[in-house]
Amino acid sequence: MDVRAAVAVAAGKPLEVTTVQLEGPKAFEVMVEIKATGICHTDEFTLSGGDPEGLFPSILGHEGAGVVVDVGPGVTSLKKGDHVIPLYTPECRTCPSCLSRKTNLCTAIRATQGQGLMPDGSSRFSIEGKTLHHYMGCSTFANFTVLPEIAVAKIREDAPFDKVCYIGCGVTTGIGAVLNTAKVEPGATAVVFGLGGIGLNVIQGLRLASADMIIGVDLNNDKKQWGERFGMTHFVNPKDAGADLVPHLVNMTKRGADQIGGADYTFDCTGNVSVMRQALEACHRGWGVSVIIGVAPAGAEIATRPFQLVTGRTWKGTAFGGARGRTDVPKIVDWYMDGKIEIDPMITHTMPLADINKGFDLMHAGESIRSVVIY
Ligand code: NAD
Ligand code: AHE
Ligand code: ZN
């Protein structure tokens, strides 16, 4: 069938909005009509050419919500009409990773997903007979897409697509990094580097976890009021602290009889490897935990003195906030619907698919928190 999609034709080029062809779902697959999709910094990262797994031509997008319109043979957990969120981290519940209970990184279909293909090794998307690659197993920059059944979370029907699409990546990643990966305890001190679509969700996760001191760090002073809106208690612009940023943060986090300083938890939400080092080194000696959320371009590497780890700091990373999508995403939708977490104010811009490149422009200009394409 013909569908409308924004095609990533080559690295660094604007998306081309056009008609492409989509095959129906095969065994254990479903077709979903995407009603809305957020634009995440990771889409920009791949489009820029920085992603070692980036493939062109492809249909990007991984932060969607929509309705199941067709199911392939063998599908048992979904039916036509179900409201769903696509999952770039699937949850098969049978692979060694799912069964380990130690990770959310299901390995059932990771190899083909990284090749831009469905689990049977083929693509459902094409244009004039030429193959188009899927992206992160989702390809939500198309008004219809095909997904493996294990990569779909069924959600309640009263949740608005144009808001809960953000749970498909940014909300779950930020809040999950706090609750699942760092396991922040009440009263903790925390520093969040980068107050964009992810960092603000880390901040609201820290508020949910009852952290005491939540320091936000961003180069853009406009982010101060954004951070405060979601629970940030202090703001630092690295341009003001200069080379002394780490000692400055360590000093700020000295409390009571503890004159060593350093945060209990820090989070990198920038994808900049120098910031990742600062985040680790701003952690408290003996117990500080630093969580890397940002994704860095091909060739980038992190560095620190081993002494930083010898003296008890822990460096961790998280994908999709450690969330098991089919289990956790419906719960996070409930949290939103019950008013436990906020989404609406972070969706600063909406646009039709035809204007999707404006969403990328707004991100580059630092003017948006989240842009959402509404189909
Ligand atoms: P964004 O562009 O909305 O926000 C990034 C923020 O970082 C901006 O406010 C920017 O001003 C700030 N910043 C940039 N350089 C900085 C520096 N040197 N010091 C302090 N602040 C700085 O991006 P986003 O959507 O919030 O995504 C953030 C990162 O998280 C990206 O790298 C993205 O690819 C990654 N990400 C990872 C996961 C995951 O599962 N691990 C999920 C989603 C996004
Ligand atoms: N393909 C990149 C890595 C990109 C990456 O780390 N992606 C995160 C999600 S970012 C969402 O906005 C992720 O899920 N990682 C786990 C995985 O299996 O990809 C590269 O560097 O090769
Ligand atoms: Zn994302």
Side-chain angles (χ1 to χ4, degrees), residues 126-259:
S126 61
I127 184 163
E128 292 162 2
K130 286 185 216 134
T131 296
L132 289 169
H133 289 102
H134 295 249
Y135 175 65
M136 290 177 72
C138 293
S139 292
T140 58
F141 293 169
N143 62 345
F144 289 84
T145 190
V146 170
L147 301 149
E149 177 183 16
I150 60 167
V152 176
K154 182 169 162 5
I155 60 164
R156 55 198 273 175
E157 291 184 8
D158 55 346
F161 297 116
D162 60 338
K163 305 295 189 303
V164 298
C165 60
Y166 197 6
I167 295 173
C169 183
V171 172
T172 304
T173 297
I175 294 178
V178 174
L179 303 183
N180 301 323
T181 309
K183 297 187 170 65
V184 172
E185 69 281 356
T189 57
V191 185
V192 183
F193 293 77
L195 306 181
I198 303 301
L200 292 178
N201 278 293
V202 171
I203 287 180
Q204 76 162 329
L206 288 163
R207 180 172 64 182
L208 214 53
S210 303
D212 261 1
M213 186 182 206
I214 305 174
I215 304 172
V217 179
D218 203 294
L219 292 166
N220 179 350
N221 282 331
D222 295 346
K223 297 297 170 84
K224 179 173 184 288
Q225 59 191 35
W226 275 106
E228 286 168 350
R229 171 77 182 72
F230 297 102
M232 182 184 79
T233 58
H234 302 73
F235 177 76
V236 176
N237 187 326
K239 289 177 195 159
D240 301 331
D244 296 333
L245 177 64
V246 170
H248 181 69
L249 293 169
V250 167
N251 212 29
M252 282 176 81
T253 47
K254 286 179 181 161
R255 293 196 299 177
D258 175 26
Q259 284 307 303

Side-chain angles (χ1 to χ4, degrees), residues 40 42 45 51-53 62 88-89 105 110 136 169 295-296 319:
C40 173
T42 306
F45 158 79
D51 182 354
E53 282 189 314
H62 61 282
Y88 60 85
T89 307
L105 294 176
R110 182 63 182 83
M136 290 177 72
C169 183
V295 297

